[in-house]
Amino acid sequence: MNVDGNSQSVKLGDSVYTLARGELFDSDGQLLAMRAKSASLLVLLLREHGNIVSKDEIAREIWPDVIASDESISQCVSEIRRVLKDRKHVIVKTYPKRGYSINAEFPTVRRRFEITPLHLKVAALVLVVIGAVIGYRFITPVEDRETTLKSEAPLRDLVAVLPFHSLNSAGDDGYLGIGLAEDLIIHLTELSGVSVMPSPRSFALSVDDSAPINVAKSLDARYLVYGRIHHGKNVLQVSVELIDGLKGTHVWAGKYDVARDDLLTYQKAVLGNLTTAMSVAISERDERLLTLAETSSKHAFAEILRGRVAANEFTNQGNLLAEKHFRKAVKLDPNYARAYAELAAVYAIRFENGWSVLKEADEEKAMYFAHKAIELDTELWLAHYAIGRIYAVISSSNLDAAERHLRTAMSLQPDNDDARVFLAVVKILNGHSDEALAIIDSVLATHPAPAFWYFLAQGNALIHLERHEEAAAAFEKCLNQMPTSPYCLRFQIVNFGLMGQRDNAEWAAEEYEMLGHELSIETILELLLNARPDHIERLRRGLSAAGLE
């Protein structure tokens, strides 16, 4: 098969799909959406169909610049199985201590299916926007791009920042492509008047057409931010471009020569230029955020970027690595409020997933980091948001304190709905699911790009209101965005059990266990964080009906 243009039929299980440029389409021509790493693994397995591919080989191919955990690989395998509806694991087979293989047939081609190695053909496969999309934007003349067919449907007034394309990473700086894009998303989100797509949505995009107008249509976002990084010995050349996805035209472009240890200068410059280009109304508070230096340590800022990349893996290993980088940032600048807040947030996620080994000691550390962040910057919304989450999930939870800090975070950043939705979670834990659902529904009605866990919170409230069909739909939306989310799978198991759908509950349980999580009623109940007797009884009943012990 010529991966640069032609397509190939492939039979997986009882269904026939079309593989084109590294993406899989069903018989109706609909793209089967999955995260970029999962798509890369699928292509690797198809390239080696009939053979067992070891985890070491998978790690080298899919994660060439980092150390991949078994959990990361399992998450990708789980997502592929979910997309292919491979409930019995007959398409993608696991060979304990050996690896994985895929059962595939290629009806139209008698010879062995061949694909050029991924690390040489990423752009051609278009597995992620990082490759061909960025290349198109910076190589194709503007006048040619402007002749692209104009979008007919209106797009949401939303900014989607795509991962920056590293042209020649030296290996130890590969984090910058994700890190700089993630930092840009975070700081744009903190500005009033700017609606930004969450990184799990924009970073996971995989499209078969690199034209920006089609990328914008796929994301339903008016503005696209592309970037590329050329790694020199001492200087990074960072190019950033803002595209109007409705017209497919340039709005603004900038090029920055940045010393490797001076990314702070770049950060402030690009933020200011982007807001100006989009004609965003800047408030006095926004002006302070754009001009105020969070740290004077250039190296501390680099550690923050590294930590965010690790934290975004949403794995135990990534969580520990993120803590390591954020601790380095604190050591480099003991007055760096955001570094302390990031540490507190890491611990909150750790508690929510049951990853803490010495929980009492970790809870003390989490509280210290959160309070230190607030002491250094009383107006840092992330610090109040993090401590609100911590108060809600620690052993001696204080839901009143959680609500107080979350409301402070809401007042500091009214346009960010994360604190508002987590406030709804606190309402659920307090036994007020009806109030929680009203909050969540109001957010979902107006939010341009709800995060996956917003639907998780909605489903959680609906379970306790015994509206199980609606809860199932909410969890499905959650898993469509984040197919390997342990949060969504836990509640999905419960809800299917309560609905009497034993087969679906068992499948969800298998997916959950394959991701490396313990499949027992008591362990899951602890992770569901509910302390109310009526909630615990309902959740236990669902888990028991799902066949768990």
Side-chain angles (χ1 to χ4, degrees), residues 217-274:
K217 188 179 295 184
S218 297
L219 293 172
D220 194 12
R222 173 67 184 272
Y223 293 105
L224 305 174
V225 178
Y226 293 96
R228 65 174 181 175
I229 307 168
H230 184 277
H231 299 259
K233 183 176 181 180
N234 298 311
V235 176
L236 300 172
Q237 289 184 335
V238 184
S239 300
V240 184
E241 186 177 18
L242 178 67
I243 304 298
D244 184 332
L246 188 64
K247 302 175 183 177
T249 56
H250 267 100
V251 177
W252 167 82
K255 187 173 183 179
Y256 306 86
D257 290 331
V258 185
R260 283 182 171 273
D261 61 352
D262 193 16
L263 290 168
L264 281 170
T265 302
Y266 150 82
Q267 179 208 46
K268 293 299 181 185
V270 75
L271 273 171
N273 286 330
L274 279 173

Side-chain angles (χ1 to χ4, degrees), residues 13-296:
D14 295 328
S15 301
V16 176
Y17 301 89
T18 299
L19 184 68
R21 290 179 290 275
E23 293 184 331
L24 205 64
F25 299 82
D26 63 18
S27 58
D28 295 325
Q30 297 297 312
L31 173 67
L32 301 183
M34 65 182 78
R35 294 175 303 160
K37 293 297 185 185
S38 301
S40 299
L41 176 55
L42 175 61
V43 171
L44 172 60
L45 293 174
L46 287 172
R47 187 181 83 203
E48 298 294 335
H49 81 281
N51 299 324
I52 297 175
V53 185
S54 70
K55 289 185 176 180
D56 287 343
E57 184 178 353
I58 291 171
R60 285 195 302 271
E61 290 272 9
I62 311 302
W63 290 271
D65 299 324
V66 299
I67 299 176
S69 66
D70 288 353
E71 187 176 357
S72 297
I73 296 172
S74 295
Q75 286 181 343
C76 291
V77 172
S78 178
E79 181 175 6
I80 293 170
R81 284 172 171 159
R82 174 178 166 76
V83 169
L84 297 177
K85 296 181 173 58
D86 183 20
R87 299 190 178 193
K88 297 183 178 180
H89 302 179
V90 296
I91 299 175
V92 180
K93 300 188 67 175
T94 301
Y95 294 84
K97 299 183 179 180
R98 297 177 65 191
Y100 301 94
S101 73
I102 192 167
N103 289 324
E105 298 178 22
F106 297 90
T108 60
V109 178
R110 295 184 181 276
R111 62 179 174 82
R112 176 189 167 96
F113 180 64
E114 297 178 354
I115 298 180
T116 306
L118 290 177
H119 66 281
L120 298 177
K121 287 290 185 179
V122 171
L125 293 173
V126 200
L127 290 172
V128 289
V129 176
I130 298 176
V133 175
I134 304 296
Y136 178 94
R137 292 306 316 149
F138 286 94
I139 296 173
T140 309
V142 176
E143 58 270 24
D144 292 345
R145 295 197 298 263
E146 291 183 354
T147 61
T148 305
L149 181 64
K150 300 296 185 293
S151 174
E152 296 178 357
L155 298 172
R156 292 175 297 175
D157 193 13
L158 185 68
V159 182
V161 180
L162 302 170
F164 286 17
H165 178 38
S166 274
L167 298 180
N168 57 338
S169 171
D172 61 343
D173 53 12
Y175 70 95
L176 286 172
I178 296 294
L180 290 178
E182 178 71 25
D183 185 74
L184 189 56
I185 289 173
I186 288 171
H187 284 87
L188 283 173
T189 302
E190 291 181 344
L191 300 176
S192 58
V194 181
S195 296
V196 187
M197 177 167 286
S199 57
R201 296 278 293 277
S202 58
F203 285 11
L205 179 66
S206 179
V207 294
D208 67 328
D209 190 327
S210 61
I213 199 166
N214 293 314
V215 175
K217 188 179 295 184
S218 297
L219 293 172
D220 194 12
R222 173 67 184 272
Y223 293 105
L224 305 174
V225 178
Y226 293 96
R228 65 174 181 175
I229 307 168
H230 184 277
H231 299 259
K233 183 176 181 180
N234 298 311
V235 176
L236 300 172
Q237 289 184 335
V238 184
S239 300
V240 184
E241 186 177 18
L242 178 67
I243 304 298
D244 184 332
L246 188 64
K247 302 175 183 177
T249 56
H250 267 100
V251 177
W252 167 82
K255 187 173 183 179
Y256 306 86
D257 290 331
V258 185
R260 283 182 171 273
D261 61 352
D262 193 16
L263 290 168
L264 281 170
T265 302
Y266 150 82
Q267 179 208 46
K268 293 299 181 185
V270 75
L271 273 171
N273 286 330
L274 279 173
T275 54
T276 299
M278 291 185 290
S279 301
V280 174
I282 301 296
S283 67
E284 290 185 9
R285 178 180 174 277
D286 293 339
E287 191 67 37
R288 289 199 305 273
L289 290 174
L290 288 170
T291 57
L292 183 65
E294 296 180 337
T295 178
S296 58

